[in-house]
Amino acid sequence: MVEKNISEVKKRISEAAKAAGRNENEVTLIAVSKTKPVEMIKEAYDTGIRDFGENKVQEIMEKYPLLPSDIRWHLIGHLQTNKVKYIIDKVCMIHSVDSLKLAEEISRQAVKHNVTVDILIEVNVAAEVSKFGVRPEEAIDLCRNISTLPGIRIRGLMTVAPFTSDPEENRPVFCALRQLFVDIDGKNIDNVCMDCLSMGMSGDYTVAIEEGATFVRVGTSIFGQRDYGVER
Ligand SMILES: *Cc1c(COP(=O)(O)O)cnc(C)c1O
């Protein structure tokens, strides 16, 4: 089932990219494997997927030693400062940085482990009270402040758009994130390299690609519904 789902998702990614006049290679599919067992991750791995997304530190810690070392783990969920040390040398990118305090701890741990960590700034474009992320107008200052820290490299922006049954409703959200991305890029801040735009989930990734996504984070459409007894 996983294999079939992945080929369907890849087909839709390719079609959406083409429709938008983009090269499909500009879009990386992150298979969001939270709550899903290692066996299913292996199935996805065997189809060639190397980018996996998890939203909990504990879950990455458990899965990491059981799976191939060439997997690129993306932390996509809220990260508590006191847990940074556990995943600093395991993840390829942290998508959910939304405070200077968190960035400072990532920097501290990165220097300690002698690594450079790629991060995205999470932006709460739709200003939903239930969501993490900075407000769009705070993003530039946060980028400036983080850009001076060692061991950390800002690569772009991420957003979690509202849950909706009509993906078109999220087009303005994706469009706004893309605009902010271009604005920040135009500031030419030292040590900030805006080349990643993480937006789009199972319900709306084709629209996100049309609006410029370079990472789409797809869980349900690959692995099926999650067991809500397990999820936060
Ligand atoms: C769970 C999750 C996803 C995947 O959502 P689906 O709707 O299952 O594709 C993407 N991004 C984040 C931040 C998530 O927590």
Side-chain angles (χ1 to χ4, degrees), residues 32 34 55 76-77 158 160 200-203 217-221 226 231-232:
V32 177
K34 63 190 188 196
N55 67 341
I76 60 174
M158 177 271 220
V160 179
M201 304 168 38
S202 289
R217 310 178 307 266
V218 179
T220 309
S221 292
R226 287 176 294 272
E231 212 193 0
R232 67 177 160 133

Side-chain angles (χ1 to χ4, degrees), residues 41-42 45 50 63-73:
I41 299 177
K42 281 190 181 136
Y45 181 90
R50 292 295 177 270
K63 290 172 176 175
Y64 184 88
L66 305 174
L67 286 154
S69 60
D70 62 343
I71 284 183
R72 293 182 290 271
W73 292 101

Side-chain angles (χ1 to χ4, degrees), residues 13-225:
I13 288 174
S14 155
E15 286 167 0
K18 276 204 197 85
R22 302 181 60 199
N23 186 332
E24 63 184 286
N25 299 330
E26 293 169 20
V27 183
T28 300
L29 171 61
I30 299 177
V32 177
S33 47
K34 63 190 188 196
T35 79
K36 298 297 179 182
V38 162
E39 293 67 40
M40 287 182 99
I41 299 177
K42 281 190 181 136
E43 272 184 72
Y45 181 90
D46 288 339
T47 74
I49 299 279
R50 292 295 177 270
D51 294 89
F52 289 87
E54 290 282 345
N55 67 341
K56 291 206 168 97
V57 167
Q58 182 63 34
E59 216 171 319
I60 293 186
M61 303 278 289
E62 284 165 17
K63 290 172 176 175
Y64 184 88
L66 305 174
L67 286 154
S69 60
D70 62 343
I71 284 183
R72 293 182 290 271
W73 292 101
H74 296 256
L75 186 73
I76 60 174
H78 182 65
L79 177 58
Q80 285 171 289
T81 308
N82 62 349
K83 294 191 176 162
V84 171
K85 57 180 175 286
Y86 300 119
I87 46 98
I88 196 74
D89 56 347
K90 298 184 176 61
V91 298
C92 79
M93 188 176 275
I94 299 173
H95 290 229
S96 47
V97 176
D98 63 357
S99 74
L100 185 58
K101 180 168 160 267
L102 175 59
E104 282 169 344
E105 176 61 9
I106 293 170
S107 168
R108 203 159 27 240
Q109 293 296 335
V111 169
K112 195 168 159 187
H113 288 83
N114 202 19
V115 293
T116 299
V117 177
D118 286 334
I119 64 145
L120 305 179
I121 304 297
E122 180 171 357
V123 184
N124 184 357
V125 179
E128 289 179 283
V129 284
S130 60
K131 294 252 165 83
F132 294 106
V134 294
R135 284 178 289 133
E137 59 273 24
E138 296 169 330
I140 292 178
D141 276 349
L142 183 58
C143 283
R144 284 194 201 282
N145 289 330
I146 294 176
S147 70
T148 63
L149 301 172
I152 189 167
R153 185 165 50 205
I154 299 178
R155 295 286 303 274
L157 305 178
M158 177 271 220
T159 198
V160 179
F163 183 78
T164 167
S165 54
D166 177 9
E168 282 300 328
E169 282 180 13
N170 282 337
R171 190 180 293 278
V173 172
F174 299 140
C175 185
L177 192 72
R178 157 89 189 167
Q179 191 55 54
L180 184 60
F181 175 86
V182 170
D183 287 350
I184 295 173
D185 193 34
K187 305 281 181 201
N188 288 316
I189 306 168
D190 275 354
N191 203 30
V192 175
C193 154
M194 297 300 267
D195 62 351
C196 301
L197 202 45
S198 172
M199 57 189 194
M201 304 168 38
S202 289
D204 55 20
Y205 65 90
T206 57
V207 174
I209 289 167
E210 287 163 14
E211 296 301 327
T214 68
F215 283 120
V216 290
R217 310 178 307 266
V218 179
T220 309
S221 292
I222 291 175
F223 297 110
Q225 291 290 337

